[in-house]
Amino acid sequence: MWNSRALLRLLSLLRYLLLFHSVLPLVSAQGSNTTSWNTLSGSPPLVIARGGFSGIYPDSSDIAYSLAAQTSLANVILWCDVQLTKDREGICIPDIKLENATDIGHVSEFKSKTYSVNGVQTSGYFSVDYTLKELLSNVVLIQGDYTRTNRFDGSDFPILTVNELVRRETPNPSGLWLNIQHDVFYAQHNLSMKNFVLSVSRTVNVSYISSPEAGFLRSLRALVKPSKTKLVFRFLEKDKVDPSTNQTYGSLLKNLTSIKTFASGILVPKEYIWPVDPTSLYLLPHTSLVSDAHKVGLEVFASDFMNDISISYNYSYDPVAEYLNFIDNGNFSVDGVLSDFPLTSSEAIDCFAHIGLNAPKQVNTLIISKYGASGDYPPCTDLSYGKAISDGVDVLDCPVQMSKDGIPFCLSSIDLIESTNVAQSSFSRLGKTIPEIKSGNGIFTFDLAWNDIKSLSRKSNALMLNPHSMNNLYRNPEYNKKGQYLTLSDFLNLTKAHTSTLSVVIIIENAAYLARKQNLSVTDAVIDTLSRAGYDKPGAPKVMIQSTNSSVLLKFKEKAKYELVYKIDEIVGGAVDSAISNIKRFAHSVVVKKASVYPVSELFAIGSTKIVSKFKSSNLSVYVETFSNEFVSQDWDFMSDAYVEINTFVQDAEIDGVITDFPKTANRYRRNKCLNLGEKTPAYMEPVAVGGLLQAMDKSLLPPAMAPAPPLTEDEVTEPPLPPLSKIAPSSPISGTQAGAQPPHNAQAQVTVCFFLSTLTVLVASFLF
């Protein structure tokens, strides 16, 4: 019934699935989880894959269902939105308007029509107007969500009937969930959803049947066996009306006992359980719905889980954290979740539930902060550092900048415009262009005294970093313009006082410019401050010095014994032997970008390099940056899941450390229960087949071919020594301000630190409890 082009595409898809399955074995760790659950049955929650793995592939396509079955819990339930054709065949398509999930709108012989759907005149292409043969011969599935990639749309995914879906999943069939959204509409066209469901149930094991129409479920109640098939009433938005009862879903929600007379469970939007303030996007207190439903014997399933949408700021863009709030909050657990990304819900249930941040580490991957926990708080402030410590970071970072009066302090950029509101202050007139440092205008730290810079944070001018604002993804706005900046001395005393296992990395850039043009030696300032804080004494916390400049690291090698980290700030495809030999003269480890490990074209990984193994074979540790929670920061290959990305870099590339602005996510990853299980490792905790998604694409839709990135050469590593300080006299204080004086050794700085540490202790404690 398929055309030849479709068959060729399916053969290509089969080859891809074989590749994918070779990397993701069919094993589930579900059996190892003996913890009791607050579900109605006491069993772990179910994962229901909406249209298969519809977050990646077209909803209800064969490959979407196959990927869901292969990468989810062994008892995953496959969801099919049933539509009926003119000849009474049931097909899986997510929307009653076929053009929202297929290419039917581009087929000239098919015409749009207008029908009444739940009392609303609706124009579109409807399955009631076509036979199954007409649809299979002319129409294919496409991605209906325009925020997701459309590069699989040319692969000619055929529409599946319910029977065909089950046949294709044999011999390892998953449970099947049929959702009947529009029984009343089909009845108006002399098509019976009830007859179809009863007919298919004779040959197919249907685990669940859901509908937002109470009348439809009542008509089935006496005709299905509850031990075999459960009926679930689906709630829509509270102000919408059930066409079979003419009652709003809000009013139906008030009488759960009545629903129990015809259903064994309810399916509700997740906001019914954990409402989100529509203005602030922060969570409101949870409702009592789950507990109330469980009291009358109803299971509760929650819907609308997706990795690639904005979720409440409380979750820090971590979908696993959201799932855990529904299944492992200490009060209740839903009985199942309906997800477009069933891999993520599977790992949340099986790997991350019922563990804490103090669970034993399963891998020793180093967690290095990026400006503290800058995904949650303004970078390099007391808030972001306190959060990173409570989140379990191993190495706390301080990018050192220099003030006009020679005080080293922590700030994410030498340009104050990037992390403060300085451009709206009286210092806006200090803007200038320094091509040696950056393109464009800036207001630079070395033009303001420390007291002036400190006043910027005191006046609520510390800004959140929002690297994905172009995608309308913003970080924790409630804490924008909050937090205080720290001197390097304050930073070191904070880390030293907290725990002996907390290391620090001091990041130094622009040292040559500061010495030559500003008469400031950032290297001497760091060495001196480290010494005064006792970091050069035996038993002191570990210190790492990071720079993109070999001249900086060579100077530290001459004067101190710290771990020296060379950052390669461009994307490289490898490194020539002479460059590696040169790096070993002055560094113990390197920092590389993610794309240097897995090259990328338009957010698709196109392969891997040998850069990590080559550095490690030369006894250089490899740290990779930057790992973030926002789904737009991850390649499509990682399923919009930060844990999948980290796991692949750790298990496949074998990196030594992750640099992240969300250290809580990385710390949660390395403590999850699904690591180190050997052959019993579940598919959702296996590294992905990097570049595997390309195998499922039509060649005409492949992302642009990219020339390999050039290797790092010795000339790029070699630099002249740092210049001596300039002979220019320090600039006079800015008019109307008082330049802060450099405190004498062991003098005023100690008083400041005592006060600072007492307040930071309270701050860190607040994060922990």
Side-chain angles (χ1 to χ4, degrees):
M1 286 185 289
W2 304 322
N3 59 37
S4 59
R5 191 161 58 105
L7 288 171
L8 290 172
R9 290 271 61 79
L10 287 172
L11 289 173
S12 175
L13 296 181
L14 177 61
R15 288 195 295 270
Y16 164 69
L17 287 172
L18 290 173
L19 170 66
F20 198 97
H21 297 170
S22 69
V23 183
L24 295 177
L26 262 176
V27 180
S28 173
Q30 184 67 43
S32 65
N33 193 342
T34 58
T35 306
S36 61
W37 292 83
N38 290 324
T39 55
L40 183 62
S41 66
S43 299
L46 291 174
V47 171
I48 304 107
R50 193 183 73 86
F53 211 128
S54 54
I56 298 295
Y57 293 117
D59 192 308
S60 304
S61 62
D62 176 43
I63 197 171
Y65 284 122
S66 295
L67 185 59
Q70 297 300 319
T71 61
S72 306
L73 292 171
N75 63 344
V76 64
I77 307 296
L78 300 182
W79 167 286
C80 166
D81 283 292
V82 181
Q83 315 299 336
L84 289 180
T85 64
K86 179 191 288 187
D87 49 347
R88 293 174 170 76
E89 292 285 351
I91 55 177
C92 299
I93 293 184
D95 198 294
I96 193 171
K97 296 176 62 175
L98 301 185
E99 69 270 26
N100 289 338
T102 74
D103 68 349
I104 193 169
H106 301 289
V107 180
S108 59
E109 56 262 41
F110 293 163
K111 304 300 180 184
S112 174
K113 292 188 178 181
T114 301
Y115 292 120
S116 174
V117 181
N118 291 351
V120 178
Q121 291 299 111
T122 304
S123 297
Y125 297 82
F126 298 88
S127 60
V128 296
D129 293 318
Y130 311 105
T131 65
L132 177 63
K133 182 178 180 180
E134 288 174 322
L135 292 175
L136 291 180
S137 300
N138 297 281
V139 179
V140 294
L141 296 166
I142 62 173
Q143 179 58 260
D145 187 331
Y146 297 119
T147 67
R148 295 171 178 167
T149 181
N150 65 351
R151 290 193 176 275
F152 302 108
D153 287 358
S155 298
D156 290 350
F157 299 114
I159 295 170
L160 297 180
T161 65
V162 174
N163 283 292
E164 182 69 11
L165 165 61
V166 174
R167 187 188 69 78
R168 287 172 180 247
E169 292 307 314
T170 303
N172 296 303
S174 297
L176 181 63
W177 185 309
L178 300 182
N179 181 59
I180 312 301
Q181 198 76 1
H182 296 286
D183 173 60
V184 170
F185 171 80
Y186 287 104
Q188 292 168 351
H189 293 267
N190 298 316
L191 296 171
S192 173
M193 273 290 185
K194 182 177 77 171
N195 289 344
F196 168 77
V197 168
L198 293 176
S199 174
V200 80
S201 296
R202 297 188 188 103
T203 57
V204 171
N205 183 18
V206 179
S207 305
Y208 294 87
I209 298 172
S210 63
S211 177
E213 299 178 6
F216 174 72
L217 295 178
R218 285 195 178 98
S219 72
L220 288 177
R221 178 174 171 269
L223 302 175
V224 299
K225 295 180 180 180
S227 60
K228 177 184 177 183
T229 303
K230 294 183 178 181
L231 302 181
V232 178
F233 183 59
R234 184 179 192 182
F235 282 85
L236 304 181
E237 290 85 349
K238 292 181 180 180
D239 59 347
K240 287 192 173 181
V241 175
D242 171 4
S244 70
T245 65
N246 289 322
Q247 291 181 266
T248 66
Y249 293 101
S251 63
L252 290 168
L253 188 67
K254 297 175 183 178
N255 194 349
L256 295 176
T257 303
S258 174
I259 292 172
K260 184 66 174 71
T261 62
F262 62 85
S264 63
I266 58 175
L267 172 64
V268 299
K270 61 187 179 182
E271 285 77 14
Y272 271 48
I273 300 168
W274 279 102
V276 177
D277 184 284
T279 302
S280 69
L281 296 184
Y282 287 94
L283 285 178
L284 299 172
H286 67 76
T287 69
S288 61
L289 175 59
V290 177
S291 299
D292 294 342
H294 282 176
K295 286 177 183 177
V296 300
L298 285 169
E299 291 185 301
V300 180
F301 301 94
S303 65
D304 303 333
F305 288 94
M306 307 173 208
N307 292 8
D308 55 353
I309 60 173
S310 293
I311 55 179
S312 169
Y313 292 121
N314 299 75
Y315 301 127
S316 299
Y317 290 100
D318 179 1
V320 166
E322 182 181 34
Y323 283 117
L324 293 177
N325 210 29
F326 283 81
I327 64 173
D328 186 22
N329 57 45
N331 296 310
F332 62 82
S333 171
V334 298
D335 301 279
V337 291
L338 177 62
S339 174
D340 291 18
F341 293 84
L343 181 154
T344 302
S345 43
S346 296
E347 69 185 5
I349 293 168
D350 199 27
C351 306
F352 293 103
H354 303 136
I355 65 170
L357 290 177
N358 293 321
K361 295 179 186 177
Q362 303 299 319
V363 293
N364 291 318
T365 307
L366 209 61
I367 299 175
I368 305 168
S369 67
K370 181 81 168 183
Y371 315 142
S374 58
D376 291 308
Y377 294 102
C380 300
T381 60
D382 54 349
L383 293 175
S384 64
Y385 286 135
K387 182 70 163 57
I389 292 171
S390 68
D391 286 346
V393 75
D394 297 311
V395 184
L396 203 62
D397 71 308
C398 172
V400 173
Q401 314 301 338
M402 295 293 287
S403 66
K404 185 175 185 176
D405 44 350
I407 295 179
F409 65 98
C410 305
L411 195 67
S412 58
S413 173
I414 194 171
D415 179 10
L416 290 164
I417 292 176
E418 294 183 14
S419 55
T420 75
N421 267 341
V422 67
Q424 283 75 52
S425 73
S426 60
F427 303 111
S428 60
R429 66 185 183 280
L430 297 177
K432 64 177 68 170
T433 300
I434 305 177
E436 187 175 344
I437 294 179
K438 60 170 289 186
S439 60
N441 196 53
I443 299 175
F444 298 97
T445 62
F446 48 75
D447 282 333
L448 277 76
W450 166 242
N451 281 343
D452 299 323
I453 295 170
K454 186 165 57 174
S455 72
L456 292 174
S457 60
R458 285 178 176 171
K459 294 176 181 177
S460 299
N461 283 319
L463 299 180
M464 289 291 300
L465 287 183
N466 289 299
H468 306 294
S469 58
M470 290 186 65
N471 300 99
N472 290 318
L473 299 178
Y474 296 91
R475 294 175 170 178
N476 201 8
E478 183 177 326
Y479 281 86
N480 193 32
K481 303 182 180 180
K482 303 284 181 65
Q484 304 295 315
Y485 296 129
L486 313 181
T487 64
L488 177 58
S489 177
D490 287 341
F491 171 84
L492 293 173
N493 281 281
L494 161 66
T495 54
K496 190 175 183 182
H498 187 266
T499 171
S500 60
T501 62
L502 183 63
S503 304
V504 297
V505 56
I506 310 301
I507 302 169
I508 299 175
E509 302 296 344
N510 304 300
Y513 174 86
L514 291 171
R516 187 173 60 253
K517 297 292 187 179
Q518 300 298 326
N519 197 35
L520 293 169
S521 175
V522 60
T523 53
D524 287 346
V526 169
I527 291 170
D528 181 60
T529 306
L530 284 167
S531 178
R532 286 192 286 122
Y535 274 74
D536 57 353
K537 304 293 191 297
K542 181 181 178 180
V543 175
M544 302 161 71
I545 304 295
Q546 176 184 309
S547 182
T548 59
N549 300 116
S550 58
S551 54
V552 169
L553 300 181
L554 282 167
K555 182 165 183 178
F556 273 89
K557 183 179 180 181
E558 295 169 359
K559 295 192 174 184
K561 294 184 178 180
Y562 302 128
E563 179 179 339
L564 304 178
V565 184
Y566 182 58
K567 178 178 177 179
I568 303 170
D569 58 355
E570 65 270 12
I571 296 173
V572 295
V576 300
D577 292 341
S578 58
I580 295 176
S581 298
N582 197 348
I583 291 172
K584 285 182 63 65
R585 289 191 307 112
F586 57 81
H588 307 94
S589 50
V590 296
V591 171
V592 299
K593 294 183 179 296
K594 292 190 297 186
S596 292
V597 181
Y598 298 123
V600 178
S601 176
E602 295 191 359
L603 287 180
F604 285 95
I606 55 176
S608 60
T609 69
K610 305 290 187 183
I611 192 167
V612 175
S613 58
K614 190 163 186 179
F615 278 126
K616 292 183 70 170
S617 67
S618 298
N619 294 319
L620 289 165
S621 299
V622 181
Y623 312 128
V624 177
E625 67 172 14
T626 301
F627 291 87
S628 299
N629 284 1
E630 291 96 341
F631 60 91
V632 294
S633 71
Q634 299 136 18
D635 303 340
W636 286 109
D637 299 68
F638 302 125
M639 315 298 178
S640 300
D641 185 323
Y643 298 93
V644 174
E645 181 182 46
I646 294 172
N647 187 54
T648 302
F649 274 85
V650 171
Q651 303 293 342
D652 179 57
E654 299 183 345
I655 66 174
D656 298 293
V658 298
I659 300 173
T660 175
D661 34 18
F662 293 91
K664 186 173 185 177
T665 299
N667 191 30
R668 179 180 276 145
Y669 159 74
R670 65 182 179 179
R671 299 175 192 274
N672 86 76
K673 296 176 292 186
C674 297
L675 294 171
N676 294 334
L677 296 181
E679 294 182 355
K680 295 183 179 180
T681 301
Y684 34 85
M685 200 47 65
E686 290 279 358
V688 302
V690 174
L693 292 182
L694 303 180
Q695 305 300 318
M697 292 181 194
D698 184 87
K699 289 183 179 180
S700 65
L701 292 176
L702 287 169
M706 305 288 288
L712 184 71
T713 65
E714 183 177 5
D715 288 344
E716 293 173 290
V717 175
T718 304
E719 293 179 348
L722 287 176
L725 295 181
S726 60
K727 303 301 182 182
I728 61 171
S731 304
S732 58
I734 301 167
S735 176
T737 67
Q738 179 64 43
Q742 175 75 43
H745 292 244
N746 303 315
Q748 181 63 37
Q750 289 186 342
V751 178
T752 303
V753 166
C754 290
F755 171 75
F756 172 75
L757 288 178
S758 64
T759 56
L760 246 293
T761 301
V762 174
L763 175 65
V764 173
S766 71
F767 287 125
L768 291 170
F769 297 104

